[in-house]
Amino acid sequence: MTDASVTLETRCLSSLSKVFADAELHDQAVNRGTALWGETYAFQVAYRSDQLVKFLQVSVESELQPWITVRSVALSPSDTPTYANPDPGYLRTAPGLYPDLLLPQEQGVHAVWQQWRSVWITVALPAQGETGADGSAAYEIAVKLSDREGQLLGQETFTLDVLPSGLPEQRLIHTEWFHCDCLATQYGVGVFSERHWQLIEAYAANAVRHGVNMLLTPLFTPPLDTAVGGERPTVQLIGVEQVGPRDYRFDFSLLERWIAMCKRVGVRYYEMSHLFTQWGAAHAPKIVALTDGGTKRIFGWETDAGGEEYRAFLGQFLPALVAFLREKGMGEQVY
């Protein structure tokens, strides 16, 4: 059992607050917020104990509970928080532990003696009309912290005022570099295997939920963040067949599958991968083709980006790509 004399301080905070474990908490409590239907709203509950309490259980009670996720804010080590001559706007510049990583808290969280920590509450409100409640309403969210035996140690209540309107669709075009090869490497799956496609779709859907509506599309392996002379694992949607010294045929079937996947998850725009290397556009990206000698790399770091051979390739590929995209009615969605 937890020591009956344990004292647990708690405080509701804005999602913009930074709760440092080694500092006093000066931010004022924030116990109310406003959101639209279809919006994702987040806030924190900070806590501090006068003794070590392991495996605190965090529970939520609210009419909005089906749309609420609770995670713990973990500390990440940072040995270089800034470069030289930082501006005065930083909260701190010393190396140390910084609140950063959001982790599932099914096993509970720990209250460490005299250290402020926090849990992160995300409310992913459904679209207007999905709950039958279209009008304005105030929803209370009770966040309770209990020990392993269920003894309540602390509680905060946050009120979310949901306005009688839905969040309009985003009008900004927002892209982030999306590297499929990293997913294949991280999960140990074959590139464009069925499992790889499942992972790509899951991650793309998550990106869309966080405001990304344009996706980097690997026509050829993106020549980005790659050391000169190095290679990333091949992720190439365009099938290339070399049928002569400078003659090529193209297969767009994987690109067609990519587009269908993007439409399913809500991607609106497509950032076609770069046709030249980063930092100067001096070389061609890695391009793999079926040749008389088998499948092999036909362009890469050794290829002059302005040379006749690569220009001949682009002279055939780009018209074929544009024709394919026009056939799909995508002229205004491609960048």
Side-chain angles (χ1 to χ4, degrees), residues 34-37 128 133-137 161-167:
T34 303
L36 297 169
W37 292 108
Q128 190 174 21
D134 291 346
S136 178
D161 295 309
V162 183
L163 302 180
S165 184
L167 184 70

Side-chain angles (χ1 to χ4, degrees), residues 151-220:
Q151 177 184 343
L152 182 65
L153 300 179
Q155 176 176 333
E156 288 287 337
T157 299
F158 186 89
T159 302
L160 186 61
D161 295 309
V162 183
L163 302 180
S165 184
L167 184 70
E169 184 173 351
Q170 178 175 298
R171 289 181 293 173
L172 293 174
I173 297 177
H174 177 195
T175 187
E176 301 284 350
W177 283 351
F178 184 88
H179 290 303
C180 299
D181 60 309
C182 295
L183 293 176
T185 300
Q186 173 66 23
Y187 290 94
V189 298
V191 170
F192 296 137
S193 62
E194 288 305 313
R195 179 59 180 148
H196 192 209
W197 278 107
Q198 291 170 4
L199 290 164
I200 291 170
E201 183 160 343
Y203 273 77
N206 190 51
V208 170
R209 286 194 296 271
H210 287 82
V212 171
N213 57 6
M214 173 189 277
L215 206 64
L216 178 63
T217 299
L219 301 174
F220 307 110

Side-chain angles (χ1 to χ4, degrees), residues 123-286:
V123 188
L125 289 167
Q128 190 174 21
E130 286 188 15
T131 66
D134 291 346
S136 178
Y139 293 93
E140 288 194 347
I141 303 170
V143 181
K144 299 182 177 182
L145 293 90
S146 307
D147 63 15
R148 279 185 287 187
E149 289 75 30
Q151 177 184 343
L152 182 65
L153 300 179
Q155 176 176 333
E156 288 287 337
T157 299
F158 186 89
T159 302
L160 186 61
D161 295 309
V162 183
L163 302 180
S165 184
L167 184 70
E169 184 173 351
Q170 178 175 298
R171 289 181 293 173
L172 293 174
I173 297 177
H174 177 195
T175 187
E176 301 284 350
W177 283 351
F178 184 88
H179 290 303
C180 299
D181 60 309
C182 295
L183 293 176
T185 300
Q186 173 66 23
Y187 290 94
V189 298
V191 170
F192 296 137
S193 62
E194 288 305 313
R195 179 59 180 148
H196 192 209
W197 278 107
Q198 291 170 4
L199 290 164
I200 291 170
E201 183 160 343
Y203 273 77
N206 190 51
V208 170
R209 286 194 296 271
H210 287 82
V212 171
N213 57 6
M214 173 189 277
L215 206 64
L216 178 63
T217 299
L219 301 174
F220 307 110
T221 304
L224 306 172
D225 300 329
T226 307
V228 175
E231 283 192 12
R232 300 181 74 110
T234 301
V235 281
Q236 177 175 317
L237 290 172
I238 305 300
V240 180
E241 182 181 2
Q242 188 171 15
V243 295
R246 292 187 182 176
D247 294 305
Y248 307 93
R249 283 199 289 258
F250 305 101
D251 179 359
F252 295 100
S253 56
L254 285 181
L255 177 57
E256 191 164 19
R257 181 172 180 175
W258 177 274
I259 292 168
M261 179 273 296
C262 287
K263 288 181 177 178
R264 278 196 302 274
V265 301
V267 172
R268 301 287 190 185
Y269 306 97
Y270 302 83
E271 178 189 6
M272 296 302 179
S273 59
H274 306 61
L275 298 174
F276 307 95
T277 51
Q278 202 172 3
W279 309 305
H283 307 280
K286 176 173 66 172

Side-chain angles (χ1 to χ4, degrees), residues 2 6-10 21 45-58 72-73 75 107-119 145-148 153-154:
T2 304
V6 64
T7 299
L8 189 74
E9 299 175 71
T10 60
V45 174
Y47 59 92
R48 179 172 68 173
S49 175
D50 62 351
Q51 57 186 277
L52 175 63
V53 183
K54 291 188 174 182
F55 304 108
L56 276 174
Q57 304 301 307
V58 185
S72 62
V73 182
L75 303 176
Q107 302 303 316
V109 298
H110 302 317
V112 182
W113 174 72
Q114 291 302 325
Q115 290 187 19
W116 280 105
R117 302 288 181 93
S118 69
V119 290
L145 293 90
S146 307
D147 63 15
R148 279 185 287 187
L153 300 179

